[in-house]
């Protein structure tokens, strides 16, 4: 039996935890009080998560005053299956665009088996191999090449961060109507019972891992999970959970966004309202190349993803400009697709 593989959802969990958990502070305290009394302690706890890889123009030196982000910016969200000192792979890749002033987020999911040029290796391969070959920097270079757009930041989280974050939030609601059974002898065996009112962190990990239907549908489940996680975080009424969530992030989360910028974004969200998430999954066609299975992305899908990113990155884009493309992902989904 093949070695058991565990994956984690993209590091969007980290932003969801910070933004969603702090959104609950709207009622007991004002955004100004957050800036004065809360942000500093959170920044101290997040300091260990800061791990710059390259200078991309989004951040300034630590000695300079960091402005609150107001312009649209991009971030690569990576879910890593790294355990101990093993070589990690990126089992979840999401090109995210944030529009802080409007509290809007675009998530472009890239299936892990996507066949593309691995920048720095001089060959085509599965896109998730870039992380194993050259870490986060090669992953960023490869995704930038595929999407034809520069990334401002990255964030990664490992599978344990997913489990611990969900459990710290008291579980999560997932739309699972029937049992999901992972039964392929080459995969880890598990069953997720359908119809439960709340699911544990381990259940959630299995939910985003399950891929015995298709890689496309798995990325759809990841998007469903992220929305459910955001809803759960925002509905919390226990402020005391925030330190525990930040500890989880510190142990499992890395980013080149400085803590001061993260808290600045959280403060901005307190002023702007609940984040609105738009999702798109790049669909492809399964093909074998030299006996290896790949998802070859459709040119129309790549163009649609690039157009979405380009529109969302414009400072002066209107709501109609970015919302008119909202239904594109549903159109790309196979007709017989059913997400458990």
């Amino acid at each position: 039996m093949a070695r058991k593989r565990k994956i984690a959802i993209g590091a969007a969990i980290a932003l969801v935890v910070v933004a969603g958990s702090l959104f609950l502070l709207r009622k007991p305290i004002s955004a100004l009080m957050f800036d004065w009394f809360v942000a500093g302690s959170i920044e101290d706890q997040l300091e260990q998560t800061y791990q710059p890889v390259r200078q991309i123009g989004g951040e300034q030196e630590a000695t300079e005053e960091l402005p609150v982000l107001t312009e649209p910016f991009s971030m690569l969200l990576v879910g890593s299956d790294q355990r101990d000192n093993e070589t990690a792979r990126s089992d979840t890749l999401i090109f995210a665009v944030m529009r802080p002033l409007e509290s809007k987020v675009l998530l472009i999911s890239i299936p892990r088996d996507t066949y593309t040029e691995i920048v720095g290796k001089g060959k085509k391969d599965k896109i998730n191999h870039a992380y194993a070959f050259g870490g986060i920097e090669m992953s960023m270079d490869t995704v930038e090449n595929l999407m034809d757009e520069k990334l401002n930041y990255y964030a990664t989280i490992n599978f344990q961060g997913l489990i611990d974050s969900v459990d710290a939030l008291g579980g999560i609601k997932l739309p699972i109507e029937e049992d999901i059974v992972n039964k392929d002898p080459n995969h880890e065996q598990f069953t997720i019972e359908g119809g439960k009112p709340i699911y544990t962190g381990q259940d959630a990990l299995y939910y985003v891992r399950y891929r015995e239907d298709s890689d496309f549908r798995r990325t759809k489940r990841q998007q469903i999970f992220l929305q459910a996680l955001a809803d759960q975080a925002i509905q919390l009424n226990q402020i005391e959970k925030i330190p525990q969530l930040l500890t989880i992030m510190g142990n499992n989360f890395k980013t080149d966004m400085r803590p001061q910028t993260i808290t600045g974004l959280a403060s901005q969200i307190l002023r702007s309202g609940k984040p609105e998430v738009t999702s798109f999954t790049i669909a492809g066609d399964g093909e074998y190349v030299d006996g290896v299975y790949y998802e070859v992305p459709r040119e129309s899908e790549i163009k649609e993803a690039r157009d979405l990113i380009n529109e969302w990155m414009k400072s002066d884009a209107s709501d109609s400009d970015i919302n008119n493309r909202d239904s594109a992902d549903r159109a790309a989904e196979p007709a017989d697709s059913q997400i458990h």
Side-chain angles (χ1 to χ4, degrees):
M1 179 175 171
R3 180 173 67 90
K4 292 183 178 180
R5 303 174 60 241
K6 297 178 182 289
I7 71 167
I9 193 68
I13 291 176
L15 288 178
V16 168
V17 167
V18 171
S21 298
L22 292 175
F23 183 82
L24 62 91
L25 297 174
R26 277 178 76 106
K27 293 182 179 179
I29 64 174
S30 68
L32 181 61
M33 291 177 69
F34 165 74
D35 294 341
W36 285 357
F37 302 116
V38 181
S41 61
I42 291 176
E43 289 163 10
D44 290 342
Q45 290 179 275
L46 287 177
E47 194 62 46
Q48 61 181 311
T49 71
Y50 179 60
Q51 188 171 306
V53 174
R54 61 185 187 181
Q55 195 71 23
I56 309 183
E59 287 289 9
Q60 298 177 338
E61 294 297 324
T63 55
E64 298 181 27
E65 183 177 354
L66 295 168
V68 175
L69 292 176
T70 56
E71 295 295 307
F73 67 92
S74 60
M75 174 177 275
L76 181 63
L77 308 175
V78 180
S80 165
D81 69 347
Q82 186 167 24
R83 298 181 289 278
D84 301 323
N85 294 320
E86 295 180 2
T87 299
R89 289 166 296 182
S90 58
D91 282 291
T92 301
L93 282 171
I94 297 176
F95 191 114
V97 178
M98 286 74 166
R99 296 180 65 87
L101 288 181
E102 295 128 303
S103 198
K104 293 180 181 291
V105 181
L106 171 68
L107 301 178
I108 303 287
S109 295
I110 307 172
R112 63 188 296 276
D113 291 339
T114 297
Y115 190 57
T116 190
E117 180 74 21
I118 306 298
V119 177
K121 291 296 286 186
K123 67 173 186 177
K124 284 191 170 184
D125 205 335
K126 294 183 179 183
I127 197 167
N128 73 318
H129 288 178
Y131 197 77
F133 292 149
I136 189 62
E137 187 168 11
M138 187 173 287
S139 291
M140 294 178 76
D141 291 341
T142 298
V143 172
E144 286 178 343
N145 182 65
L146 179 65
M147 293 291 93
D148 194 27
E149 182 76 38
K150 285 291 185 182
L151 286 156
N152 300 120
Y153 302 100
Y154 83 88
T156 69
I157 194 168
N158 60 38
F159 75 92
Q160 194 60 50
L162 181 150
I163 294 173
D164 292 346
S165 296
V166 171
D167 287 341
L169 292 170
I172 190 172
K173 296 179 181 178
L174 293 171
I176 303 175
E177 298 179 0
E178 300 177 356
D179 291 358
I180 297 177
V181 182
N182 215 49
K183 54 188 177 183
D184 190 309
N186 295 317
H187 296 166
E188 182 176 359
Q189 310 296 294
F190 61 77
T191 298
I192 312 173
E193 181 183 344
K196 293 169 61 175
I198 201 81
Y199 288 90
T200 67
Q202 187 64 65
D203 290 333
L205 178 63
Y206 288 155
Y207 181 73
V208 300
R209 288 187 62 203
Y210 180 73
R211 57 179 305 199
E212 293 184 2
D213 46 7
S214 73
D215 206 23
F216 180 90
R217 290 169 186 154
R218 189 181 74 154
T219 58
K220 292 290 291 180
R221 281 188 288 272
Q222 293 168 2
Q223 294 167 355
I224 291 170
F225 165 78
L226 286 175
Q227 186 62 62
L229 184 70
D231 292 342
Q232 180 71 2
I234 290 171
Q235 289 172 8
L236 284 177
N237 56 12
Q238 298 98 339
I239 296 176
E240 65 271 12
K241 291 195 175 190
I242 294 176
Q244 181 184 358
L245 292 167
L246 292 172
T247 298
I248 291 168
M249 288 166 54
N251 293 336
N252 301 284
F253 170 62
K254 298 298 177 186
T255 182
D256 59 349
M257 181 178 284
R258 293 198 59 82
Q260 297 92 329
T261 306
I262 295 176
T263 55
L265 283 172
S267 179
Q268 179 66 46
I269 289 173
L270 283 171
R271 293 170 169 84
S272 301
K274 179 180 177 180
E276 296 179 18
V277 179
T278 297
S279 300
F280 182 87
T281 301
I282 298 175
D285 300 302
E287 293 185 17
Y288 283 89
V289 180
D290 296 327
V292 178
Y293 177 84
Y294 297 93
E295 284 283 331
V296 180
R298 302 168 193 160
E299 287 299 321
S300 60
E301 294 287 295
I302 295 296
K303 182 181 184 304
E304 182 67 26
R306 289 176 176 176
D307 288 347
L308 276 166
I309 292 169
N310 182 60
E311 201 66 59
W312 276 66
M313 287 294 291
K314 292 178 181 177
S315 300
D316 58 351
S318 66
D319 282 350
S320 60
D321 289 334
I322 61 178
N323 290 336
N324 280 343
R325 300 181 180 273
D326 232 10
S327 62
D329 187 44
R330 291 186 289 276
E333 187 175 349
D336 63 345
S337 177
Q338 181 177 353
I339 307 301
H340 292 286

